[in-house]
mmCIF file with all atom_site columns, all heavy atoms in Angstrom:
data_model
loop_
_atom_site.group_PDB
_atom_site.id
_atom_site.type_symbol
_atom_site.label_atom_id
_atom_site.label_alt_id
_atom_site.label_comp_id
_atom_site.label_asym_id
_atom_site.label_entity_id
_atom_site.label_seq_id
_atom_site.pdbx_PDB_ins_code
_atom_site.Cartn_x
_atom_site.Cartn_y
_atom_site.Cartn_z
_atom_site.occupancy
_atom_site.B_iso_or_equiv
_atom_site.pdbx_formal_charge
_atom_site.auth_seq_id
_atom_site.auth_comp_id
_atom_site.auth_asym_id
_atom_site.auth_atom_id
_atom_site.pdbx_PDB_model_num
ATOM 1   N N   . GLY A 1 28 ? 129.568 73.714 102.118 1.00 96.00 ? 28 GLY A N   1
ATOM 2   C CA  . GLY A 1 28 ? 130.218 72.585 102.775 1.00 96.00 ? 28 GLY A CA  1
ATOM 3   C C   . GLY A 1 28 ? 129.422 72.154 104.106 1.00 96.00 ? 28 GLY A C   1
ATOM 4   O O   . GLY A 1 28 ? 130.097 71.648 105.012 1.00 96.00 ? 28 GLY A O   1
ATOM 5   N N   . ILE A 1 29 ? 128.175 72.414 104.031 1.00 97.00 ? 29 ILE A N   1
ATOM 6   C CA  . ILE A 1 29 ? 127.388 72.037 105.326 1.00 97.00 ? 29 ILE A CA  1
ATOM 7   C C   . ILE A 1 29 ? 127.075 70.495 105.245 1.00 97.00 ? 29 ILE A C   1
ATOM 8   O O   . ILE A 1 29 ? 126.483 70.019 104.274 1.00 97.00 ? 29 ILE A O   1
ATOM 9   C CB  . ILE A 1 29 ? 125.993 72.710 105.321 1.00 97.00 ? 29 ILE A CB  1
ATOM 10  C CG1 . ILE A 1 29 ? 126.169 74.272 105.107 1.00 97.00 ? 29 ILE A CG1 1
ATOM 11  C CG2 . ILE A 1 29 ? 125.271 72.441 106.544 1.00 97.00 ? 29 ILE A CG2 1
ATOM 12  C CD1 . ILE A 1 29 ? 126.834 74.960 106.180 1.00 97.00 ? 29 ILE A CD1 1
ATOM 13  N N   . GLU A 1 30 ? 127.485 69.738 106.239 1.00 98.00 ? 30 GLU A N   1
ATOM 14  C CA  . GLU A 1 30 ? 127.188 68.347 106.231 1.00 98.00 ? 30 GLU A CA  1
ATOM 15  C C   . GLU A 1 30 ? 125.991 68.029 107.076 1.00 98.00 ? 30 GLU A C   1
ATOM 16  O O   . GLU A 1 30 ? 125.150 67.185 106.665 1.00 98.00 ? 30 GLU A O   1
ATOM 17  C CB  . GLU A 1 30 ? 128.430 67.632 106.897 1.00 98.00 ? 30 GLU A CB  1
ATOM 18  C CG  . GLU A 1 30 ? 129.563 67.463 105.986 1.00 98.00 ? 30 GLU A CG  1
ATOM 19  C CD  . GLU A 1 30 ? 129.175 66.608 104.708 1.00 98.00 ? 30 GLU A CD  1
ATOM 20  O OE1 . GLU A 1 30 ? 128.637 65.506 104.894 1.00 98.00 ? 30 GLU A OE1 1
ATOM 21  O OE2 . GLU A 1 30 ? 129.443 67.067 103.561 1.00 98.00 ? 30 GLU A OE2 1
ATOM 22  N N   . ASN A 1 31 ? 125.884 68.549 108.239 1.00 98.00 ? 31 ASN A N   1
ATOM 23  C CA  . ASN A 1 31 ? 124.697 68.280 109.172 1.00 98.00 ? 31 ASN A CA  1
ATOM 24  C C   . ASN A 1 31 ? 124.204 69.568 109.826 1.00 98.00 ? 31 ASN A C   1
ATOM 25  O O   . ASN A 1 31 ? 125.085 70.338 110.210 1.00 98.00 ? 31 ASN A O   1
ATOM 26  C CB  . ASN A 1 31 ? 125.009 67.207 110.209 1.00 98.00 ? 31 ASN A CB  1
ATOM 27  C CG  . ASN A 1 31 ? 125.342 65.842 109.560 1.00 98.00 ? 31 ASN A CG  1
ATOM 28  O OD1 . ASN A 1 31 ? 124.477 65.246 109.083 1.00 98.00 ? 31 ASN A OD1 1
ATOM 29  N ND2 . ASN A 1 31 ? 126.585 65.500 109.507 1.00 98.00 ? 31 ASN A ND2 1
ATOM 30  N N   . GLY A 1 32 ? 122.902 69.681 109.945 1.00 98.00 ? 32 GLY A N   1
ATOM 31  C CA  . GLY A 1 32 ? 122.387 70.871 110.585 1.00 98.00 ? 32 GLY A CA  1
ATOM 32  C C   . GLY A 1 32 ? 120.962 71.216 110.101 1.00 98.00 ? 32 GLY A C   1
ATOM 33  O O   . GLY A 1 32 ? 120.211 70.277 109.776 1.00 98.00 ? 32 GLY A O   1
ATOM 34  N N   . LEU A 1 33 ? 120.628 72.466 110.070 1.00 98.00 ? 33 LEU A N   1
ATOM 35  C CA  . LEU A 1 33 ? 119.239 72.931 109.673 1.00 98.00 ? 33 LEU A CA  1
ATOM 36  C C   . LEU A 1 33 ? 119.416 74.007 108.584 1.00 98.00 ? 33 LEU A C   1
ATOM 37  O O   . LEU A 1 33 ? 120.379 74.742 108.564 1.00 98.00 ? 33 LEU A O   1
ATOM 38  C CB  . LEU A 1 33 ? 118.542 73.486 110.883 1.00 98.00 ? 33 LEU A CB  1
ATOM 39  C CG  . LEU A 1 33 ? 118.118 72.630 112.065 1.00 98.00 ? 33 LEU A CG  1
ATOM 40  C CD1 . LEU A 1 33 ? 117.544 73.345 113.134 1.00 98.00 ? 33 LEU A CD1 1
ATOM 41  C CD2 . LEU A 1 33 ? 117.210 71.441 111.547 1.00 98.00 ? 33 LEU A CD2 1
ATOM 42  N N   . CYS A 1 34 ? 118.440 74.012 107.814 1.00 98.00 ? 34 CYS A N   1
ATOM 43  C CA  . CYS A 1 34 ? 118.335 75.013 106.707 1.00 98.00 ? 34 CYS A CA  1
ATOM 44  C C   . CYS A 1 34 ? 117.015 75.776 106.883 1.00 98.00 ? 34 CYS A C   1
ATOM 45  O O   . CYS A 1 34 ? 116.030 75.210 106.948 1.00 98.00 ? 34 CYS A O   1
ATOM 46  C CB  . CYS A 1 34 ? 118.386 74.335 105.338 1.00 98.00 ? 34 CYS A CB  1
ATOM 47  S SG  . CYS A 1 34 ? 118.150 75.422 104.019 1.00 98.00 ? 34 CYS A SG  1
ATOM 48  N N   . PHE A 1 35 ? 117.261 77.109 107.028 1.00 98.00 ? 35 PHE A N   1
ATOM 49  C CA  . PHE A 1 35 ? 116.113 77.931 107.225 1.00 98.00 ? 35 PHE A CA  1
ATOM 50  C C   . PHE A 1 35 ? 115.961 78.752 105.961 1.00 98.00 ? 35 PHE A C   1
ATOM 51  O O   . PHE A 1 35 ? 116.859 79.348 105.439 1.00 98.00 ? 35 PHE A O   1
ATOM 52  C CB  . PHE A 1 35 ? 116.380 78.995 108.441 1.00 98.00 ? 35 PHE A CB  1
ATOM 53  C CG  . PHE A 1 35 ? 115.259 79.919 108.634 1.00 98.00 ? 35 PHE A CG  1
ATOM 54  C CD1 . PHE A 1 35 ? 114.063 79.554 109.029 1.00 98.00 ? 35 PHE A CD1 1
ATOM 55  C CD2 . PHE A 1 35 ? 115.517 81.292 108.500 1.00 98.00 ? 35 PHE A CD2 1
ATOM 56  C CE1 . PHE A 1 35 ? 113.021 80.469 109.290 1.00 98.00 ? 35 PHE A CE1 1
ATOM 57  C CE2 . PHE A 1 35 ? 114.560 82.234 108.790 1.00 98.00 ? 35 PHE A CE2 1
ATOM 58  C CZ  . PHE A 1 35 ? 113.286 81.806 109.121 1.00 98.00 ? 35 PHE A CZ  1
ATOM 59  N N   . VAL A 1 36 ? 114.666 78.580 105.453 1.00 98.00 ? 36 VAL A N   1
ATOM 60  C CA  . VAL A 1 36 ? 114.343 79.261 104.084 1.00 98.00 ? 36 VAL A CA  1
ATOM 61  C C   . VAL A 1 36 ? 113.283 80.262 104.393 1.00 98.00 ? 36 VAL A C   1
ATOM 62  O O   . VAL A 1 36 ? 112.162 79.959 104.958 1.00 98.00 ? 36 VAL A O   1
ATOM 63  C CB  . VAL A 1 36 ? 113.847 78.258 103.126 1.00 98.00 ? 36 VAL A CB  1
ATOM 64  C CG1 . VAL A 1 36 ? 113.637 78.906 101.759 1.00 98.00 ? 36 VAL A CG1 1
ATOM 65  C CG2 . VAL A 1 36 ? 114.835 76.993 103.022 1.00 98.00 ? 36 VAL A CG2 1
ATOM 66  N N   . PHE A 1 37 ? 113.508 81.547 103.993 1.00 98.00 ? 37 PHE A N   1
ATOM 67  C CA  . PHE A 1 37 ? 112.607 82.644 104.326 1.00 98.00 ? 37 PHE A CA  1
ATOM 68  C C   . PHE A 1 37 ? 112.409 83.599 103.197 1.00 98.00 ? 37 PHE A C   1
ATOM 69  O O   . PHE A 1 37 ? 113.325 83.858 102.471 1.00 98.00 ? 37 PHE A O   1
ATOM 70  C CB  . PHE A 1 37 ? 113.240 83.489 105.465 1.00 98.00 ? 37 PHE A CB  1
ATOM 71  C CG  . PHE A 1 37 ? 112.301 84.598 105.883 1.00 98.00 ? 37 PHE A CG  1
ATOM 72  C CD1 . PHE A 1 37 ? 111.242 84.457 106.747 1.00 98.00 ? 37 PHE A CD1 1
ATOM 73  C CD2 . PHE A 1 37 ? 112.587 85.861 105.423 1.00 98.00 ? 37 PHE A CD2 1
ATOM 74  C CE1 . PHE A 1 37 ? 110.396 85.491 107.078 1.00 98.00 ? 37 PHE A CE1 1
ATOM 75  C CE2 . PHE A 1 37 ? 111.836 86.974 105.787 1.00 98.00 ? 37 PHE A CE2 1
ATOM 76  C CZ  . PHE A 1 37 ? 110.639 86.806 106.590 1.00 98.00 ? 37 PHE A CZ  1
ATOM 77  N N   . VAL A 1 38 ? 111.182 83.874 102.939 1.00 98.00 ? 38 VAL A N   1
ATOM 78  C CA  . VAL A 1 38 ? 110.814 84.779 101.765 1.00 98.00 ? 38 VAL A CA  1
ATOM 79  C C   . VAL A 1 38 ? 110.424 86.125 102.342 1.00 98.00 ? 38 VAL A C   1
ATOM 80  O O   . VAL A 1 38 ? 109.547 86.224 103.166 1.00 98.00 ? 38 VAL A O   1
ATOM 81  C CB  . VAL A 1 38 ? 109.509 84.155 101.037 1.00 98.00 ? 38 VAL A CB  1
ATOM 82  C CG1 . VAL A 1 38 ? 109.077 85.217 99.960  1.00 98.00 ? 38 VAL A CG1 1
ATOM 83  C CG2 . VAL A 1 38 ? 109.894 82.912 100.350 1.00 98.00 ? 38 VAL A CG2 1
ATOM 84  N N   . PRO A 1 39 ? 111.197 87.089 101.990 1.00 98.00 ? 39 PRO A N   1
ATOM 85  C CA  . PRO A 1 39 ? 110.968 88.489 102.538 1.00 98.00 ? 39 PRO A CA  1
ATOM 86  C C   . PRO A 1 39 ? 110.000 89.356 101.736 1.00 98.00 ? 39 PRO A C   1
ATOM 87  O O   . PRO A 1 39 ? 110.187 90.449 101.284 1.00 98.00 ? 39 PRO A O   1
ATOM 88  C CB  . PRO A 1 39 ? 112.393 89.134 102.514 1.00 98.00 ? 39 PRO A CB  1
ATOM 89  C CG  . PRO A 1 39 ? 113.086 88.545 101.315 1.00 98.00 ? 39 PRO A CG  1
ATOM 90  C CD  . PRO A 1 39 ? 112.400 87.107 101.191 1.00 98.00 ? 39 PRO A CD  1
ATOM 91  N N   . HIS A 1 40 ? 108.868 88.706 101.341 1.00 98.00 ? 40 HIS A N   1
ATOM 92  C CA  . HIS A 1 40 ? 107.888 89.309 100.532 1.00 98.00 ? 40 HIS A CA  1
ATOM 93  C C   . HIS A 1 40 ? 106.481 89.068 101.112 1.00 98.00 ? 40 HIS A C   1
ATOM 94  O O   . HIS A 1 40 ? 106.179 88.065 101.722 1.00 98.00 ? 40 HIS A O   1
ATOM 95  C CB  . HIS A 1 40 ? 107.943 88.773 99.143  1.00 98.00 ? 40 HIS A CB  1
ATOM 96  C CG  . HIS A 1 40 ? 109.198 88.924 98.450  1.00 98.00 ? 40 HIS A CG  1
ATOM 97  N ND1 . HIS A 1 40 ? 109.723 90.164 98.026  1.00 98.00 ? 40 HIS A ND1 1
ATOM 98  C CD2 . HIS A 1 40 ? 110.176 88.010 98.156  1.00 98.00 ? 40 HIS A CD2 1
ATOM 99  C CE1 . HIS A 1 40 ? 110.834 89.918 97.458  1.00 98.00 ? 40 HIS A CE1 1
ATOM 100 N NE2 . HIS A 1 40 ? 111.208 88.684 97.427  1.00 98.00 ? 40 HIS A NE2 1
ATOM 101 N N   . THR A 1 41 ? 105.583 89.996 101.013 1.00 98.00 ? 41 THR A N   1
ATOM 102 C CA  . THR A 1 41 ? 104.248 89.920 101.517 1.00 98.00 ? 41 THR A CA  1
ATOM 103 C C   . THR A 1 41 ? 103.236 89.365 100.570 1.00 98.00 ? 41 THR A C   1
ATOM 104 O O   . THR A 1 41 ? 102.080 89.103 100.915 1.00 98.00 ? 41 THR A O   1
ATOM 105 C CB  . THR A 1 41 ? 103.718 91.351 101.987 1.00 98.00 ? 41 THR A CB  1
ATOM 106 O OG1 . THR A 1 41 ? 103.651 92.186 100.857 1.00 98.00 ? 41 THR A OG1 1
ATOM 107 C CG2 . THR A 1 41 ? 104.653 91.854 103.058 1.00 98.00 ? 41 THR A CG2 1
ATOM 108 N N   . THR A 1 42 ? 103.645 89.061 99.358  1.00 98.00 ? 42 THR A N   1
ATOM 109 C CA  . THR A 1 42 ? 102.824 88.473 98.351  1.00 98.00 ? 42 THR A CA  1
ATOM 110 C C   . THR A 1 42 ? 103.395 87.249 97.754  1.00 98.00 ? 42 THR A C   1
ATOM 111 O O   . THR A 1 42 ? 103.152 86.927 96.503  1.00 98.00 ? 42 THR A O   1
ATOM 112 C CB  . THR A 1 42 ? 102.380 89.542 97.244  1.00 98.00 ? 42 THR A CB  1
ATOM 113 O OG1 . THR A 1 42 ? 103.547 89.935 96.583  1.00 98.00 ? 42 THR A OG1 1
ATOM 114 C CG2 . THR A 1 42 ? 101.606 90.694 97.812  1.00 98.00 ? 42 THR A CG2 1
ATOM 115 N N   . ALA A 1 43 ? 104.213 86.514 98.534  1.00 98.00 ? 43 ALA A N   1
ATOM 116 C CA  . ALA A 1 43 ? 104.855 85.264 98.057  1.00 98.00 ? 43 ALA A CA  1
ATOM 117 C C   . ALA A 1 43 ? 104.966 84.446 99.284  1.00 98.00 ? 43 ALA A C   1
ATOM 118 O O   . ALA A 1 43 ? 104.642 84.786 100.424 1.00 98.00 ? 43 ALA A O   1
ATOM 119 C CB  . ALA A 1 43 ? 106.230 85.581 97.463  1.00 98.00 ? 43 ALA A CB  1
ATOM 120 N N   . GLY A 1 44 ? 105.337 83.137 99.073  1.00 98.00 ? 44 GLY A N   1
ATOM 121 C CA  . GLY A 1 44 ? 105.454 82.217 100.253 1.00 98.00 ? 44 GLY A CA  1
ATOM 122 C C   . GLY A 1 44 ? 106.395 81.084 99.859  1.00 98.00 ? 44 GLY A C   1
ATOM 123 O O   . GLY A 1 44 ? 107.030 81.063 98.825  1.00 98.00 ? 44 GLY A O   1
ATOM 124 N N   . ILE A 1 45 ? 106.596 80.217 100.918 1.00 98.00 ? 45 ILE A N   1
ATOM 125 C CA  . ILE A 1 45 ? 107.350 79.002 100.788 1.00 98.00 ? 45 ILE A CA  1
ATOM 126 C C   . ILE A 1 45 ? 106.588 77.892 101.229 1.00 98.00 ? 45 ILE A C   1
ATOM 127 O O   . ILE A 1 45 ? 105.934 77.895 102.293 1.00 98.00 ? 45 ILE A O   1
ATOM 128 C CB  . ILE A 1 45 ? 108.681 79.074 101.660 1.00 98.00 ? 45 ILE A CB  1
ATOM 129 C CG1 . ILE A 1 45 ? 109.685 80.093 101.062 1.00 98.00 ? 45 ILE A CG1 1
ATOM 130 C CG2 . ILE A 1 45 ? 109.351 77.673 101.841 1.00 98.00 ? 45 ILE A CG2 1
ATOM 131 C CD1 . ILE A 1 45 ? 110.420 79.564 99.869  1.00 98.00 ? 45 ILE A CD1 1
ATOM 132 N N   . THR A 1 46 ? 106.635 76.818 100.487 1.00 98.00 ? 46 THR A N   1
ATOM 133 C CA  . THR A 1 46 ? 105.995 75.509 100.845 1.00 98.00 ? 46 THR A CA  1
ATOM 134 C C   . THR A 1 46 ? 106.660 74.340 100.402 1.00 98.00 ? 46 THR A C   1
ATOM 135 O O   . THR A 1 46 ? 107.514 74.388 99.573  1.00 98.00 ? 46 THR A O   1
ATOM 136 C CB  . THR A 1 46 ? 104.490 75.507 100.412 1.00 98.00 ? 46 THR A CB  1
ATOM 137 O OG1 . THR A 1 46 ? 103.768 74.541 101.090 1.00 98.00 ? 46 THR A OG1 1
ATOM 138 C CG2 . THR A 1 46 ? 104.430 75.196 98.851  1.00 98.00 ? 46 THR A CG2 1
ATOM 139 N N   . ILE A 1 47 ? 106.383 73.204 101.032 1.00 98.00 ? 47 ILE A N   1
ATOM 140 C CA  . ILE A 1 47 ? 106.941 71.940 100.630 1.00 98.00 ? 47 ILE A CA  1
ATOM 141 C C   . ILE A 1 47 ? 105.881 71.020 100.149 1.00 98.00 ? 47 ILE A C   1
ATOM 142 O O   . ILE A 1 47 ? 104.839 70.880 100.842 1.00 98.00 ? 47 ILE A O   1
ATOM 143 C CB  . ILE A 1 47 ? 107.665 71.225 101.817 1.00 98.00 ? 47 ILE A CB  1
ATOM 144 C CG1 . ILE A 1 47 ? 108.938 72.125 102.257 1.00 98.00 ? 47 ILE A CG1 1
ATOM 145 C CG2 . ILE A 1 47 ? 108.064 69.840 101.473 1.00 98.00 ? 47 ILE A CG2 1
ATOM 146 C CD1 . ILE A 1 47 ? 109.538 71.623 103.564 1.00 98.00 ? 47 ILE A CD1 1
ATOM 147 N N   . ASN A 1 48 ? 105.987 70.553 98.909  1.00 96.00 ? 48 ASN A N   1
ATOM 148 C CA  . ASN A 1 48 ? 104.937 69.636 98.383  1.00 96.00 ? 48 ASN A CA  1
ATOM 149 C C   . ASN A 1 48 ? 105.439 68.714 97.305  1.00 96.00 ? 48 ASN A C   1
ATOM 150 O O   . ASN A 1 48 ? 106.714 68.746 97.041  1.00 96.00 ? 48 ASN A O   1
ATOM 151 C CB  . ASN A 1 48 ? 103.726 70.460 97.964  1.00 96.00 ? 48 ASN A CB  1
ATOM 152 C CG  . ASN A 1 48 ? 102.373 69.749 98.272  1.00 96.00 ? 48 ASN A CG  1
ATOM 153 O OD1 . ASN A 1 48 ? 102.229 68.610 97.816  1.00 96.00 ? 48 ASN A OD1 1
ATOM 154 N ND2 . ASN A 1 48 ? 101.576 70.368 99.095  1.00 96.00 ? 48 ASN A ND2 1
ATOM 155 N N   . GLU A 1 49 ? 104.545 68.067 96.647  1.00 95.00 ? 49 GLU A N   1
ATOM 156 C CA  . GLU A 1 49 ? 104.995 67.064 95.704  1.00 95.00 ? 49 GLU A CA  1
ATOM 157 C C   . GLU A 1 49 ? 105.754 67.660 94.498  1.00 95.00 ? 49 GLU A C   1
ATOM 158 O O   . GLU A 1 49 ? 105.292 68.583 93.910  1.00 95.00 ? 49 GLU A O   1
ATOM 159 C CB  . GLU A 1 49 ? 103.754 66.258 95.183  1.00 95.00 ? 49 GLU A CB  1
ATOM 160 C CG  . GLU A 1 49 ? 104.163 65.193 94.123  1.00 95.00 ? 49 GLU A CG  1
ATOM 161 C CD  . GLU A 1 49 ? 103.058 64.290 93.764  1.00 95.00 ? 49 GLU A CD  1
ATOM 162 O OE1 . GLU A 1 49 ? 102.173 63.946 94.670  1.00 95.00 ? 49 GLU A OE1 1
ATOM 163 O OE2 . GLU A 1 49 ? 102.966 63.870 92.634  1.00 95.00 ? 49 GLU A OE2 1
ATOM 164 N N   . ASN A 1 50 ? 106.850 66.965 94.232  1.00 93.00 ? 50 ASN A N   1
ATOM 165 C CA  . ASN A 1 50 ? 107.624 67.438 93.000  1.00 93.00 ? 50 ASN A CA  1
ATOM 166 C C   . ASN A 1 50 ? 107.651 66.346 91.901  1.00 93.00 ? 50 ASN A C   1
ATOM 167 O O   . ASN A 1 50 ? 108.401 66.542 90.986  1.00 93.00 ? 50 ASN A O   1
ATOM 168 C CB  . ASN A 1 50 ? 109.026 67.770 93.426  1.00 93.00 ? 50 ASN A CB  1
ATOM 169 C CG  . ASN A 1 50 ? 109.807 66.610 93.918  1.00 93.00 ? 50 ASN A CG  1
ATOM 170 O OD1 . ASN A 1 50 ? 109.290 65.463 94.009  1.00 93.00 ? 50 ASN A OD1 1
ATOM 171 N ND2 . ASN A 1 50 ? 111.031 66.735 94.167  1.00 93.00 ? 50 ASN A ND2 1
ATOM 172 N N   . ALA A 1 51 ? 106.740 65.390 91.947  1.00 91.00 ? 51 ALA A N   1
ATOM 173 C CA  . ALA A 1 51 ? 106.718 64.424 90.875  1.00 91.00 ? 51 ALA A CA  1
ATOM 174 C C   . ALA A 1 51 ? 105.855 64.711 89.813  1.00 91.00 ? 51 ALA A C   1
ATOM 175 O O   . ALA A 1 51 ? 106.184 64.741 88.624  1.00 91.00 ? 51 ALA A O   1
ATOM 176 C CB  . ALA A 1 51 ? 106.444 62.989 91.587  1.00 91.00 ? 51 ALA A CB  1
ATOM 177 N N   . ASP A 1 52 ? 104.595 65.020 90.176  1.00 92.00 ? 52 ASP A N   1
ATOM 178 C CA  . ASP A 1 52 ? 103.554 65.251 89.123  1.00 92.00 ? 52 ASP A CA  1
ATOM 179 C C   . ASP A 1 52 ? 103.293 66.840 89.184  1.00 92.00 ? 52 ASP A C   1
ATOM 180 O O   . ASP A 1 52 ? 102.702 67.410 90.068  1.00 92.00 ? 52 ASP A O   1
ATOM 181 C CB  . ASP A 1 52 ? 102.299 64.525 89.458  1.00 92.00 ? 52 ASP A CB  1
ATOM 182 C CG  . ASP A 1 52 ? 101.212 64.861 88.426  1.00 92.00 ? 52 ASP A CG  1
ATOM 183 O OD1 . ASP A 1 52 ? 101.366 65.536 87.544  1.00 92.00 ? 52 ASP A OD1 1
ATOM 184 O OD2 . ASP A 1 52 ? 100.053 64.252 88.593  1.00 92.00 ? 52 ASP A OD2 1
#
Side-chain angles (χ1 to χ4, degrees):
I29 310 292
E30 281 299 310
N31 294 289
L33 294 174
C34 176
F35 178 63
V36 185
F37 179 80
V38 173
H40 302 289
T41 60
T42 56
I45 286 285
T46 195
I47 295 172
N48 215 301
E49 176 166 331
N50 65 356
D52 180 0

